[in-house]
Amino acid sequence: MPKMKYEQIYKDLKQKIEGEEYPYQEFLPSENTLVQIYHCSRNTVRRAIGALVTDGYVQTLHGKGVRNIFRPIEQTSYMIGGIESFKESSIRNKKEGRTKVLQFMELTVDEKIAKKTGFPLETVIYYIQRLHYLDGKPLIINHNYFLKSIIPGLTPQIAEQSIYDYLEHTLHMTIVNSKRVVTVEKITQIDEKYLQLDVNDYNCLAVITSQTFNSEGIMFEFTQSRHRPDYFRFQDNAVRKSN
Amino acid sequence: MPKMKYEQIYKDLKQKIEGEEYPYQEFLPSENTLVQIYHCSRNTVRRAIGALVTDGYVQTLHGKGVRNIFRPIEQTSYMIGGIESFKESSIRNKKEGRTKVLQFMELTVDEKIAKKTGFPLETVIYYIQRLHYLDGKPLIINHNYFLKSIIPGLTPQIAEQSIYDYLEHTLHMTIVNSKRVVTVEKITQIDEKYLQLDVNDYNCLAVITSQTFNSEGIMFEFTQSRHRPDYFRFQDNAVRKSN
DNA sequence: GCCGATTTGTCCGTATGTATC
DNA sequence: CGATACATACGGACAAATCGG
């Protein structure tokens, strides 16, 4: 249970913005005022504000103030920037999520897999194919590749629940960051079958390819996430560099 | 010309990482060492490192150090997280970019447009349709909506060059942030015609919808960017929150 | 297992610069 | 011009994690 001040302030401000205690387009209290409110240093306030900027909640204007630019529409979105497991996002979006394991096997990395995933040759991995349902509809097919040496004892039962739960709470692994690429790809027969898509309707889908690293700095997971195009939505907030 | 120390350090470290002066998977010099190297405070070093973390270049490990996790594969990517104009990214990717203006008109926002873009009713806007070529191939169709009151004097000639150039250097507007959503949509007849796509091949494309804000906090631009699926690539690095 | 050295994480106070009004 | 507000930078203190002896 970390009780970091800047995160407390960040959450509090976020909540006040979402609850419209600070009106849209208006300025938040000045940094010095917030220092007095939260009884902390200006650095700490600025850190909280910085997090809100990257979230797209506010924008800071030199010499003027910090303006609220949050629009509640974003709440309806399915996915935001962070790293989330399917289970976590289901809960956050208050939907009923379910997962079906289609394949579960151990493999040794050959040249083809090595080129695709970036794992070194000859290492042993789990290959898992899973179908994720949201409110009863099959929306996502995941192809997961996990390094077995890092994640021993993985079972289909765990895969059906939440692998990230297992990693973080049972193995006490720390997931640090994830490099992701969004592309559009042609539908395969597997996609068509499990996602119940009609080629005459959509013949492509959205693919998120991600490489995930733990605190040892090793990439322990390579995943290809194939999303039904009509339910896919990837949100982002970009900040312009001043140059 | 800002000469901020932390940005200098950031750029220098970035360059050293890309140039493999720091080997992959190895630790960078400790923060205290960097303080001595760059003759600055620890805060300043930490700020530079923080930027590298969000770029996915390094990961920091509590009590251990800062590890280089940069892989040069990423150089081939077309688009990264930031806000870039087509012209800027063409230059960065060392490709020959060209732009053709398909439509250019003034409109008054009706209910349909208001719902789509979020612009208030009755405001006057420019609607611009542009086709972007990279190395001679038509890759992107952009549908831009600009608030005329904010951006007076826009012409087809400017639209053919770079609108962002005009905004920043002629009008001295400051572009601050951009909220983006990536989705997959069905091809329209316009897409098919200009992007030279065959419906029997791909019948969808990647769409980036963005709302861009200036330093006045007002959304002055709504853009729908429709990308050829076979050339589309959207990169991202996500950092796991510790909770 | 403990202790000390190293390293990153959090937080504070202060000073100075720069943009806005 | 002065007051206010954000931006950059410095230096110091302590906590927490890691590692070697």
Side-chain angles (χ1 to χ4, degrees):
Chain A
M1 271 287 268
K3 281 199 240 180
M4 289 159 291
K5 272 197 176 184
Y6 77 92
E7 193 157 340
Q8 298 293 331
I9 297 170
Y10 163 73
K11 283 179 182 168
D12 191 63
L13 289 175
K14 194 167 187 169
Q15 202 174 4
K16 284 186 169 54
I17 291 168
E18 288 171 347
E20 296 181 41
E21 289 189 45
Y22 301 131
Y24 180 59
Q25 291 288 10
E26 296 294 309
F27 289 113
L28 270 56
S30 78
E31 292 178 354
N32 284 321
T33 310
L34 292 174
V35 164
Q36 290 169 3
I37 293 177
Y38 292 108
H39 303 291
C40 66
S41 77
R42 206 177 136 224
N43 274 334
T44 306
V45 166
R46 283 180 62 76
R47 207 165 155 185
I49 292 173
L52 293 171
V53 169
T54 66
D55 286 352
Y57 270 51
V58 300
Q59 59 176 195
T60 62
L61 293 315
H62 196 159
K64 297 183 80 172
V66 180
R67 180 185 281 122
N68 171 12
I69 57 167
F70 170 77
R71 293 278 66 188
I73 316 136
E74 316 183 23
Q75 293 167 350
T76 62
S77 74
Y78 173 61
M79 164 176 237
I80 313 192
I83 303 177
E84 267 189 332
S85 72
F86 177 73
K87 194 176 180 183
E88 287 166 339
S89 61
S90 305
I91 291 169
R92 190 169 55 76
N93 291 283
K94 290 167 192 158
K95 303 269 186 179
E96 184 255 335
R98 196 159 53 81
T99 298
K100 187 176 171 185
V101 178
L102 303 178
Q103 282 200 53
F104 187 100
M105 60 177 79
E106 285 186 23
L107 293 175
T108 302
V109 174
D110 59 18
E111 260 192 45
K112 188 183 164 195
I113 298 179
K115 194 176 175 191
K116 180 181 184 177
T117 64
F119 285 130
L121 280 171
E122 300 300 324
T123 49
V124 181
I125 54 171
Y126 292 112
Y127 171 63
I128 305 168
Q129 217 179 81
R130 291 185 294 175
L131 186 56
H132 292 298
Y133 297 81
L134 210 61
D135 279 349
K137 275 195 283 281
L139 295 189
I140 308 168
I141 292 186
N142 269 349
H143 301 259
N144 301 106
Y145 303 78
F146 288 100
L147 274 190
K148 191 188 174 189
S149 56
I150 305 292
I151 312 173
L154 208 52
T155 66
Q157 287 71 39
I158 294 169
E160 195 168 315
Q161 294 306 310
S162 174
I163 293 180
Y164 271 36
D165 252 19
Y166 177 68
L167 299 186
E168 293 194 316
H169 298 127
T170 305
L171 294 184
H172 300 294
M173 168 182 293
T174 310
I175 297 153
V176 175
N177 71 316
S178 183
K179 298 180 185 182
R180 299 179 298 192
V181 179
V182 182
T183 54
V184 174
E185 288 186 19
K186 285 281 194 59
I187 275 184
T188 66
Q189 288 192 352
I190 297 174
D191 299 326
E192 194 177 344
K193 178 179 172 190
Y194 289 110
L195 295 179
Q196 299 172 6
L197 285 166
D198 181 2
V199 186
N200 297 320
D201 192 17
Y202 284 96
N203 70 6
C204 342
L205 37 67
V207 179
I208 301 183
T209 307
S210 56
Q211 297 178 306
T212 309
F213 295 74
N214 67 4
S215 58
E216 309 302 313
I218 52 181
M219 183 188 87
F220 68 94
E221 173 190 2
F222 176 91
T223 288
Q224 210 191 60
S225 228
R226 303 174 75 83
H227 294 245
R228 257 187 83 129
D230 44 354
Y231 284 88
F232 175 76
R233 184 187 169 87
F234 186 91
Q235 273 206 7
D236 188 37
N237 180 57
V239 180
R240 175 84 168 174
K241 290 187 186 178
S242 45
N243 279 333
Chain B
M1 273 292 266
K3 281 198 237 179
M4 289 159 290
K5 271 195 173 181
Y6 78 91
E7 193 156 339
Q8 298 293 329
I9 298 170
Y10 162 74
K11 283 180 182 166
D12 191 63
L13 289 175
K14 194 168 185 168
Q15 203 174 3
K16 285 186 167 57
I17 291 168
E18 287 171 349
E20 295 181 42
E21 289 189 44
Y22 301 130
Y24 181 58
Q25 291 287 11
E26 296 294 308
F27 288 112
L28 270 59
S30 78
E31 293 177 356
N32 284 321
T33 310
L34 292 173
V35 163
Q36 290 168 4
I37 293 175
Y38 292 108
H39 305 291
C40 66
S41 75
R42 199 173 145 227
N43 275 334
T44 305
V45 166
R46 284 180 61 76
R47 204 165 157 185
I49 292 173
L52 294 171
V53 170
T54 65
D55 286 352
Y57 271 50
V58 300
Q59 61 176 193
T60 62
L61 292 316
H62 196 162
K64 296 184 80 171
V66 179
R67 182 184 278 121
N68 172 10
I69 56 168
F70 169 78
R71 293 278 65 188
I73 316 136
E74 318 183 23
Q75 291 166 353
T76 61
S77 74
Y78 173 61
M79 165 175 235
I80 312 193
I83 301 177
E84 268 189 332
S85 72
F86 176 74
K87 193 175 180 182
E88 287 166 340
S89 61
S90 305
I91 291 168
R92 189 169 55 76
N93 292 283
K94 290 165 190 157
K95 303 269 185 178
E96 184 255 334
R98 196 160 52 80
T99 299
K100 186 176 172 188
V101 178
L102 304 178
Q103 282 199 53
F104 186 100
M105 60 176 80
E106 287 185 24
L107 294 176
T108 302
V109 174
D110 59 18
E111 259 192 45
K112 190 182 163 194
I113 298 179
K115 193 178 174 188
K116 180 179 184 178
T117 63
F119 284 130
L121 279 171
E122 300 300 323
T123 50
V124 182
I125 55 171
Y126 292 112
Y127 170 64
I128 306 167
Q129 216 178 83
R130 291 186 293 175
L131 186 57
H132 292 298
Y133 297 80
L134 209 63
D135 280 348
K137 274 195 282 284
L139 295 189
I140 308 169
I141 293 186
N142 269 349
H143 302 259
N144 301 106
Y145 302 78
F146 288 100
L147 273 189
K148 191 188 173 189
S149 56
I150 306 292
I151 313 172
L154 209 53
T155 66
Q157 288 71 38
I158 295 169
E160 196 168 316
Q161 295 306 311
S162 174
I163 294 182
Y164 271 35
D165 252 19
Y166 178 68
L167 299 186
E168 293 194 314
H169 298 127
T170 305
L171 293 184
H172 301 294
M173 169 182 293
T174 310
I175 297 153
V176 176
N177 71 316
S178 183
K179 299 181 184 182
R180 299 180 297 193
V181 179
V182 182
T183 53
V184 175
E185 289 186 19
K186 284 283 197 56
I187 276 183
T188 66
Q189 287 191 354
I190 298 174
D191 300 325
E192 193 177 345
K193 178 180 174 189
Y194 289 110
L195 295 180
Q196 299 172 5
L197 285 166
D198 181 1
V199 186
N200 298 320
D201 193 16
Y202 285 95
N203 70 6
C204 340
L205 37 67
V207 179
I208 301 183
T209 307
S210 57
Q211 297 178 302
T212 309
F213 295 74
N214 68 2
S215 60
E216 309 301 313
I218 52 181
M219 184 190 90
F220 67 94
E221 175 190 1
F222 176 92
T223 288
Q224 210 191 59
S225 227
R226 304 175 72 85
H227 294 245
R228 257 185 83 131
D230 44 353
Y231 284 88
F232 175 77
R233 184 185 169 87
F234 186 92
Q235 273 206 10
D236 188 35
N237 179 56
V239 180
R240 176 82 167 174
K241 290 187 184 178
S242 45
N243 280 332

